[in-house]
Amino acid sequence: MLHRLAATAGALSLSALAFGAPMAEAKSQTIFAFQCLKAGKNYVVGLGPMPRPADGVAINPSTIAPLAGSGSYPVALVNAPQGGVSVKKRCSSIATRLTNLALATKTATPAGIVALSDYFVAGKIAKQPVIAIGQLSLGDVLGTLPSNVNPNAALNVINARIRAISVGNAVAEALKNNDLVVFEAVVVD
């Protein structure tokens, strides 16, 4: 008696998701990235779907949308002005830098955004705890932290938060796009 197993895959891109490869960008005009959003009286850097920026570069928006209903989840709270820059402007600037990094590295997808943590560094500049992009230099500072915060611990929290938000959205995106492996019935002769 011959046993046959007939298995076909409806879409194998789920295996790319399992190995951490970025999913193909949807044909829609949205990306998965960072925005400054308003949550009550606070400004938060949120991670989630957003319109694809014109010309492929995010620019600080003049208006800030509310977090509620945005489909984004908060990653960080921006709560104090720094160097004469308003809280709103700081929040927008941080979100813009992160989004442009995601666009430049082609990681502006739910699965791809996790790779951004490879670019983050934590430390101190002029005795101020900071998180920076690439290296600890003034021009690369993403955001300053309160003086009593361990920058490495803060970076671990941000990386874990980004990972948790991204993985959940990557799975949701895969389910929405029917990006699943389909197995046919086993045929026994």
Side-chain angles (χ1 to χ4, degrees):
M1 180 181 280
L2 176 67
H3 295 276
R4 257 186 321 147
L5 173 64
T8 60
L12 293 178
S13 54
L14 183 62
S15 63
L17 174 65
F19 292 109
M23 293 187 308
E25 289 187 56
K27 291 184 175 42
S28 70
Q29 292 301 313
T30 61
I31 60 171
F32 190 78
F34 300 86
Q35 302 176 73
C36 179
L37 300 164
K38 191 123 168 73
K41 294 181 179 182
N42 297 310
Y43 291 96
V44 297
V45 175
L47 175 59
M50 63 179 279
R52 182 177 297 280
D55 300 324
V57 177
I59 299 173
N60 291 330
S62 58
T63 59
I64 308 268
L67 177 64
S70 68
S72 291
Y73 296 89
V75 172
L77 172 68
V78 181
N79 68 357
Q82 180 76 24
V85 178
S86 72
V87 175
K88 178 180 175 181
K89 181 73 172 167
R90 280 187 68 216
C91 178
S92 183
S93 178
I94 292 168
T96 298
R97 290 190 75 188
L98 287 168
T99 295
N100 283 330
L101 178 62
L103 289 166
T105 57
K106 300 188 184 325
T107 58
T109 65
I113 207 86
V114 174
L116 283 185
S117 63
D118 294 341
Y119 296 94
F120 298 158
V121 293
K124 290 188 176 187
I125 296 178
K127 298 182 183 179
Q128 181 71 42
V130 299
I131 294 177
I133 298 173
Q135 59 186 353
L136 286 173
S137 68
L138 195 55
D140 295 311
V141 171
L142 178 63
T144 56
L145 301 165
S147 59
N148 63 343
V149 170
N150 176 324
N152 290 310
L155 181 57
N156 289 339
V157 169
I158 288 173
N159 288 341
R161 183 84 175 149
I162 289 171
R163 217 171 274 110
I165 295 167
S166 298
V167 169
N169 279 279
V171 170
E173 187 72 17
L175 293 173
K176 183 177 82 177
N177 291 332
N178 295 320
D179 196 12
L180 301 170
V181 174
V182 177
F183 293 99
E184 291 182 347
V186 175
V187 178
V188 179
D189 286 342

